[in-house]
Amino acid sequence: MQSMSELSKLHLERLAAIEAASEPVYAIPSEYPAGYHVEAHSHSRAQFVYARAGVLMVSSRQGRWMVPPEHALWIPAGLEHTVDMLGDVTMLSAYIAPGASAAGPSAMRVMALTDLARALIVEAVAPQEGADGSHRQRLIMALLLEEVLRLPDRPLGLPFPADRRLAALCRSFMENPSARLVIDDWAQRLAMSRRAFTRAFRSETGLSLSAWRQQATVFTALPRLAGGESVTAVALDLGYDSVAAFTTMFRRMLGAAPRAYFRSPDPS
């Protein structure tokens, strides 16, 4: 495994290569150790990143996004972001030049992979040789761009409010999440009525506090479950009265129970 300084140098070299690339889609694989932090950066191309192993936590001014194994994330061009590795991570990235395809999402978006998209991104980063390889690569990239726009969303984004006081409450919750969050408690802490608080929170995040809490809970649970912790331990730590209640919430959010979610290559 490379040292942290070597990884940082390699990251800078990759950024330079991305900016210097002439092809419409520039695809590369990357590997990082658990706990590695990629400093704030941006690129002139949109990035489609597939988490082949490990869990990525990507943060920007728009919020936080978690990318578990067998999912992908769209990062718009020019958006400054950081990346944290939750476990040893293998990621495959396609950097898409402006105008290379139909306009992609304007905000970060977590997507479930289809079998076709998974196969295409794997092929996209594979070494190619000769003219035939170049032609084949162009066909792969063109189909990948079409498939990316069809991928289903997953509710793994966690928007953070811009309001300083609301953001402080959200950060505090992420440090100690609980299924027992009560709206009135947060409203009282900000000296706001329940109605004014709920209106302000939805205006800042686009979500109700209840929906935001559930997504924050999933954020906390996924890395632990991916790391092999039992569903029972995670559910009880998060304040759920029973494993069944936690499983019901998890299935509603992600379409599968926790154990099935990590067994299946496509949770949809």
Side-chain angles (χ1 to χ4, degrees):
M1 180 64 70
Q2 294 168 303
S3 68
M4 294 299 179
S5 60
E6 289 172 331
L7 285 170
S8 296
K9 181 181 178 182
L10 180 59
H11 176 68
L12 293 175
E13 291 173 351
R14 284 176 177 146
L15 289 178
I18 292 164
E19 297 304 319
S22 58
E23 54 265 55
V25 183
Y26 180 75
I28 53 173
S30 307
E31 293 188 356
Y32 295 98
Y36 186 75
H37 173 75
V38 178
E39 297 289 345
H41 67 284
S42 64
H43 16 77
S44 61
R45 294 169 175 246
Q47 180 182 5
F48 176 74
V49 55
Y50 160 40
R52 197 171 194 188
V55 178
L56 308 176
M57 178 76 82
V58 181
S59 303
S60 79
R61 55 181 168 76
Q62 295 181 349
R64 294 182 182 179
W65 282 259
M66 183 172 288
V67 192
E70 298 305 323
H71 287 70
L73 177 70
W74 176 274
I75 303 175
L79 180 63
E80 187 173 78
H81 57 283
T82 63
V83 186
D84 290 282
M85 314 302 163
L86 309 181
D88 293 336
V89 167
T90 298
M91 67 172 79
L92 311 182
S93 294
Y95 296 90
I96 302 158
S101 69
S106 60
M108 285 201 191
R109 175 182 163 209
V110 179
M111 298 167 277
L113 285 182
T114 59
D115 289 340
L116 176 57
R118 184 184 302 107
L120 289 169
I121 188 65
V122 169
E123 286 297 316
V125 302
Q128 304 290 323
E129 296 182 2
D132 289 343
S134 297
H135 176 67
R136 180 173 182 271
Q137 191 78 343
R138 286 193 295 271
L139 295 175
I140 289 170
M141 296 302 189
L143 185 53
L144 175 62
L145 294 179
E146 290 294 324
E147 188 67 8
V148 164
L149 298 177
R150 297 166 53 89
L151 296 178
D153 287 346
R154 285 292 177 260
L156 294 173
L158 192 66
F160 265 55
D163 180 272
R164 179 178 53 81
R165 297 187 303 160
L166 287 174
L169 288 175
C170 291
R171 284 193 295 270
S172 177
F173 181 84
M174 290 297 293
E175 293 169 2
N176 187 28
S178 171
R180 298 187 177 92
L181 171 62
V182 178
I183 293 177
D184 291 333
D185 292 344
W186 279 28
Q188 289 174 8
R189 290 170 65 178
L190 298 186
M192 300 172 71
S193 69
R194 178 188 177 95
R195 183 177 180 181
F197 175 85
T198 55
R199 186 186 300 118
F201 193 87
R202 185 180 288 277
S203 175
E204 288 275 330
T205 65
L207 298 172
S208 68
L209 181 58
S210 176
W212 188 92
R213 173 187 59 78
Q214 289 184 342
Q215 291 185 200
T217 302
V218 169
F219 260 55
T220 303
L222 272 172
R224 296 179 60 180
L225 294 170
E229 291 191 48
S230 72
V231 177
T232 299
V234 172
L236 296 180
D237 281 353
L238 293 176
Y240 282 85
D241 293 329
S242 67
V243 174
F246 172 75
T247 298
T248 297
M249 180 279 297
F250 194 98
R251 183 184 289 113
R252 184 171 62 250
M253 295 290 291
L254 296 179
R259 291 188 181 91
Y261 186 86
F262 284 101
R263 273 201 309 270
S264 172
D266 182 2
S268 63

